[in-house]
Amino acid sequence: DIQMTQSPSSVSASVGDVVTITCRASRAVSDWLAWYQQKPGQAPKLLIYVASRLQRGVPLRFSGHRSGPDFTLTISGLQPEDVATYYCQQADSFPLTFGGGTKVEI
Amino acid sequence: EVQLLESGGTLVQPGGSLRLSCAASGFTFSLYGMGWVRQAPGKGLEWVAGLSGSGAETNSADFVEGRFSISRDNSKKMLYLQMNSLRAEDTAVYYCAKEGYCSNTSCYAERKHFDSWGQGTLVTVSS
């Protein structure tokens, strides 16, 4: 199975800051990686698919990037409504696997 | 608007069985793969099982070990998860999720991405 390692596990930042979350797969997954946002008490929401493509309706301050084996989710200008836990997920092969999550606080 | 409504979660004893259901609406159900993802209390997301739009292809996580079975009834727009030999570690909120993603102009029935989720149903395995 592909293991997903996500860092940091938590981050505290101020409104307007740039926040970057990193995810690495235990083996190559090409661009088959998704990012999800889960707010407290809610179901997850798809933010990014195929590493860098923005899901419809997601604010432009969210972006995804791949550099070699590392994937990053960047929030450019953190907003209060972005307080949530963010998960990466490899979409390369079954069984699908998620990273451990990054809790973003203000 | 896509809607997914899970039901069937409850308290069950270890070794017991349970069937979860997910009622889908707002999209052409038979065209999309579907899956179940669970989340233990205070923990992260864990994929459980998935199947193709036709139901011909199914996949499951290693921990399922033949205990769970995913199925669908496209005529009723329903997704199911039959869970047998339940263990305490199966305690979690179980989410039904639709596979796919959407750009600004088009939507794609691409597997292995989850673009819509239900609100979840809680399964508690305890004596």
Side-chain angles (χ1 to χ4, degrees):
Chain A
D1 299 359
I2 300 174
Q3 308 302 315
M4 305 303 295
T5 303
Q6 197 173 330
S7 62
S9 57
S10 66
V11 58
S12 182
S14 300
V15 172
D17 282 355
V18 175
V19 175
T20 299
I21 300 167
T22 299
C23 185
R24 176 177 287 199
S26 60
R27 65 168 175 81
V29 296
S30 186
D31 283 338
W32 295 112
L33 186 110
W35 290 97
Y36 299 87
Q37 174 194 65
Q38 186 179 32
K39 296 182 179 181
Q42 296 185 19
K45 171 187 174 183
L46 178 64
L47 297 177
I48 301 285
Y49 61 92
V50 193
S52 61
R53 302 180 189 177
L54 204 63
Q55 172 69 5
R56 179 184 297 176
V58 173
L60 294 176
R61 63 181 179 274
F62 291 94
S63 62
H65 181 70
R66 173 196 170 199
S67 177
D70 293 326
F71 298 86
T72 55
L73 173 69
T74 300
I75 309 173
S76 300
L78 187 67
Q79 298 299 306
E81 59 267 33
D82 300 334
V83 168
T85 300
Y86 294 83
Y87 296 92
C88 62
Q89 175 233 316
Q90 63 85 9
D92 177 77
S93 60
F94 293 109
L96 305 180
T97 45
F98 290 86
T102 297
K103 188 173 185 179
V104 175
E105 299 174 309
I106 291 180
Chain B
E1 179 191 4
V2 172
Q3 291 195 340
L4 300 169
L5 183 62
E6 303 96 336
S7 61
T10 189
L11 172 65
V12 60
Q13 291 191 338
S17 296
L18 203 58
R19 188 177 85 155
L20 305 183
S21 300
C22 172
S25 62
F27 64 103
T28 306
F29 185 66
S30 61
L31 294 183
Y32 290 87
M34 299 290 295
W36 290 95
V37 177
R38 72 183 186 181
Q39 187 168 36
K43 302 298 184 182
L45 301 173
E46 186 172 45
W47 177 78
V48 177
L51 80 175
S52 60
S54 68
E57 178 187 349
T58 62
N59 306 89
S60 61
D62 295 343
F63 65 79
V64 167
E65 298 176 336
R67 300 180 299 130
F68 298 176
S69 175
I70 187 172
S71 63
R72 65 192 297 162
D73 185 333
N74 285 346
S75 67
K76 296 181 179 178
K77 299 183 181 181
M78 294 292 294
L79 177 71
Y80 304 102
L81 184 67
Q82 176 67 43
M83 301 188 294
N84 301 324
S85 303
L86 282 162
R87 307 164 179 165
E89 53 265 36
D90 295 320
T91 294
V93 172
Y94 285 73
Y95 293 102
C96 164
K98 167 186 167 288
E99 294 182 345
Y101 49 68
C102 294
S103 68
N104 284 336
T105 55
S106 299
C107 288
Y108 303 89
E110 185 66 41
R111 297 214 57 200
K112 308 189 191 83
H113 297 74
F114 300 106
D115 64 354
S116 297
W117 299 63
Q119 283 304 302
T121 187
L122 176 62
V123 173
T124 303
V125 184
S126 175
S127 55

